[in-house]
Amino acid sequence: MDKLIIEGGHPLNGSIRISGAKNAALPLMAATILAPGQHVLHNVPDLRDTRTMLLLLESFGITWQRRKKDNALLIDATNLDNFEASYDLVKTMRASVLVLGPLLARMGAARVSLPGGCAIGARPIDFHMQGLGRLGVELNLDQGYVEGRAEGGLQGGDVVFDIPSVTGTENILMAATLARGVTVIKNAAREPEIGNLVDMLNGMGAKIEGRGSDRLVIRGVDELHATEARVIPDRIETGTYLIAVAAVGGELTLTHCNPDHLASPLDKLRAIGLEIEKGDDQIKVARNGGLKSVDIKTMPYPGFPTDLQAQIMALMCISRGLSVITETIFENRFMHVAELKRMGADIKIDAKSAIVKGEAELSGAQVMATDLRASASLVIAGLAAAGETHISRVYHLDRGYDDLAGKLNRVGAVIRRIEE
Ligand code: EPU
């Protein structure tokens, strides 16, 4: 298992190219299941999670190639001869559940292992199952697997989410494209990654209205065809580098990103004291003065993303004042707190909130990554800390960040990756 050793205190200067979004690439890759032929997906990040999704697709009989020169994935979904997603793959990536909807739509059957426990909360998939039930799918649980069958195909219906679920909305969207009749999803999630999927599905011949809103209307069609689509820029990777430069100082230009997808984090970072200049597809950010603490409450999009909560907490540890960070999406997403405290942070947890007392003098320590975004938060703390920080279990970072250490080193950070 690899580990990162970060020498703190080196400001970041230069430019970083933002990669395609993990959480957009995964549903787009799953959507290729819906139609035979060769799909071309551009801007797909090469991550552990996207590799896992390729293994899943392969296990169904789908073939693929990566075209290195323009970062494209060529996925040929003509052959589909298996509809079981095995525990071995699903246990390493919860987003594997995204294959459930498209398998049911194209094959009328699916058998997908239930994801097990998760470091950030219980994360059940009951909304996915209830929604598919509304589309006429018969679902059973058998030996840890969800088995779905829709003899005679799926039937459109009304699906209302109790709370907006990102992958739940994506699963129902994909399933409904080939259902008979009309499906209406109410209280749908509005994350930009869902808009990316809607565009791809419409490009395949689907009929979906309401893109970007919480009400999606899908008129089922008889068949879909292969298409070409582009993965949107990763707003969480963008936000992570913005917070990193806030923590350690310097001036960065983030290119190939979409500033419109980061309205809430950019507002917060301005209030914290950063200078931010937005272009069409780039953001310039500089830290010139001190940092002021702000309160944060995670919310579904367009609110402050839960996937940046851990990173901004690392920043609040060294800002001036007190910050209350409230996590409303996941019930156990404070695993980074204990590790940040080992580096000198002053944080108390009170139910869903973390109370962070600022102006801590962070110092390097041995810490352990517990999940993807918690790991990013430890990297940020390590960049700002005095001395060396050793972060073990780096495989969490590899799941979702494209060459994080390399990208940071090219703008002035000093990070080594070693085998433990
Ligand atoms: N929920 C249920 N039942 C369900 C589905 C969700 O109770 O059937 C609950 C969840 O437990 C959570 C809330 O609803 O409390 C919202 O969860 P959501 O379903 O939106 O999360 P997700 O679709 O499983 C995606 C991202 C996560 C991101 C969340 C929230 C992907 C592949 N994953 O997860 O990304 O945190 O939305 O924005 O898109 C990450 O990238 O690090 C990550 C965890």
Side-chain angles (χ1 to χ4, degrees):
M1 257 190 280
D2 289 2
K3 122 183 190 179
L4 290 185
I5 301 179
I6 305 180
E7 191 182 293
H10 299 280
L12 306 176
N13 287 291
S15 84
I16 295 181
R17 184 188 172 125
I18 297 303
S19 299
K22 165 178 85 78
N23 290 348
L26 295 173
L28 264 53
M29 292 166 76
T32 63
I33 294 172
L34 288 165
Q38 180 166 278
H39 302 259
V40 183
L41 300 183
H42 297 278
N43 204 30
V44 181
D46 187 9
L47 308 167
R48 202 157 68 97
D49 276 8
T50 49
R51 288 179 183 205
T52 304
M53 184 57 89
L54 287 172
L55 290 175
L56 262 176
L57 296 179
E58 262 178 22
S59 75
F60 306 142
I62 292 172
T63 57
W64 61 273
Q65 289 170 54
R66 186 175 269 281
R67 201 167 60 197
K68 274 249 160 27
K69 67 172 178 8
D70 62 348
N71 229 5
L73 268 184
L74 281 55
I75 300 179
D76 193 324
T78 306
N79 181 45
L80 199 63
D81 53 24
N82 173 35
F83 52 74
E84 176 170 316
S86 75
Y87 178 62
D88 282 348
L89 288 172
V90 178
K91 75 174 183 215
T92 64
M93 183 180 76
R94 300 185 61 80
S96 305
V97 73
L98 282 167
V99 302
L100 187 57
L103 282 176
L104 282 163
R106 175 133 168 232
M107 300 187 89
R111 191 163 189 272
V112 176
S113 169
L114 268 181
C118 173
I120 63 176
R123 302 185 76 185
I125 58 161
D126 51 330
F127 298 164
H128 302 237
M129 292 173 66
Q130 281 158 19
L132 291 168
R134 302 286 301 167
L135 303 191
V137 178
E138 255 181 62
L139 291 148
N140 290 303
L141 267 182
D142 175 51
Q143 300 184 336
Y145 281 73
V146 183
E147 283 185 347
R149 272 193 191 274
E151 307 285 348
L154 298 163
Q155 176 70 51
D158 279 6
V159 175
V160 187
F161 284 111
D162 287 349
I163 42 175
S165 162
V166 176
T167 49
T169 302
E170 291 164 347
N171 240 334
I172 304 306
L173 256 178
M174 291 188 277
T177 53
L178 289 171
R180 275 191 315 280
V182 181
T183 298
V184 181
I185 309 179
K186 295 177 187 159
N187 202 20
R190 289 184 289 158
E191 270 65 5
E193 292 74 19
I194 292 168
N196 201 181
L197 176 63
V198 168
D199 289 344
M200 170 163 171
L201 294 172
N202 282 340
M204 292 167 78
K207 297 213 172 335
I208 305 169
E209 284 164 29
R211 182 188 188 283
S213 78
D214 63 358
R215 186 172 183 276
L216 297 166
V217 180
I218 307 111
R219 279 168 231 285
V221 295
D222 291 338
E223 56 179 18
L224 298 170
H225 53 81
T227 193
E228 198 161 335
R230 186 173 183 81
V231 176
I232 57 170
D234 197 318
R235 62 196 166 96
I236 305 303
E237 186 195 21
T238 312
T240 301
Y241 293 131
L242 290 170
I243 297 170
V245 82
V248 68
E251 196 171 323
L252 278 186
T253 303
L254 304 178
T255 70
H256 300 80
C257 62
N258 187 339
D260 293 344
H261 292 166
L262 283 138
S264 164
L266 287 176
D267 275 355
K268 288 291 178 188
L269 288 168
R270 280 203 185 93
I272 289 167
L274 284 196
E275 279 170 33
I276 291 171
E277 224 181 280
K278 291 193 295 179
D280 286 344
D281 67 350
Q282 65 174 41
I283 305 175
K284 270 191 187 164
V285 57
R287 188 187 99 187
N288 290 318
L291 301 167
K292 220 170 75 216
S293 290
V294 296
D295 291 340
I296 301 279
K297 190 174 187 180
T298 64
M299 295 293 269
Y301 189 83
F304 192 92
T306 172
D307 290 344
L308 285 175
Q309 178 259 108
Q311 298 89 318
I312 202 121
M313 191 182 297
L315 183 62
M316 291 301 93
C317 294
I318 55 170
S319 302
R320 198 178 64 252
L322 200 72
S323 162
V324 179
I325 300 182
T326 307
E327 171 60 57
T328 74
I329 310 291
F330 292 113
E331 64 277 20
N332 191 26
R333 212 174 196 181
F334 283 143
M335 302 284 276
H336 41 285
V337 169
E339 302 300 305
L340 289 171
K341 282 168 92 167
R342 302 192 69 249
M343 299 178 70
D346 185 342
I347 308 171
K348 286 193 180 61
I349 295 181
D350 180 9
K352 286 181 163 189
S353 297
I355 297 133
V356 187
K357 201 165 150 222
E359 289 179 292
E361 301 272 340
L362 296 183
S363 62
Q366 301 207 5
V367 289
M368 199 184 289
T370 46
D371 72 74
L372 171 58
R373 309 304 172 186
S375 316
S377 131
L378 297 176
V379 170
I380 290 167
L383 291 171
E388 272 191 357
T389 298
H390 294 225
I391 306 180
S392 49
R393 302 202 178 165
V394 181
Y395 59 86
H396 289 295
L397 275 176
D398 298 337
R399 280 193 40 215
Y401 285 93
D402 184 3
D403 190 25
L404 178 108
K407 285 188 183 186
L408 285 170
N409 280 342
R410 286 192 283 281
V411 294
V414 180
I415 304 178
R416 277 179 297 138
R417 184 174 178 134
I418 58 159
E419 238 175 77
E420 232 170 347

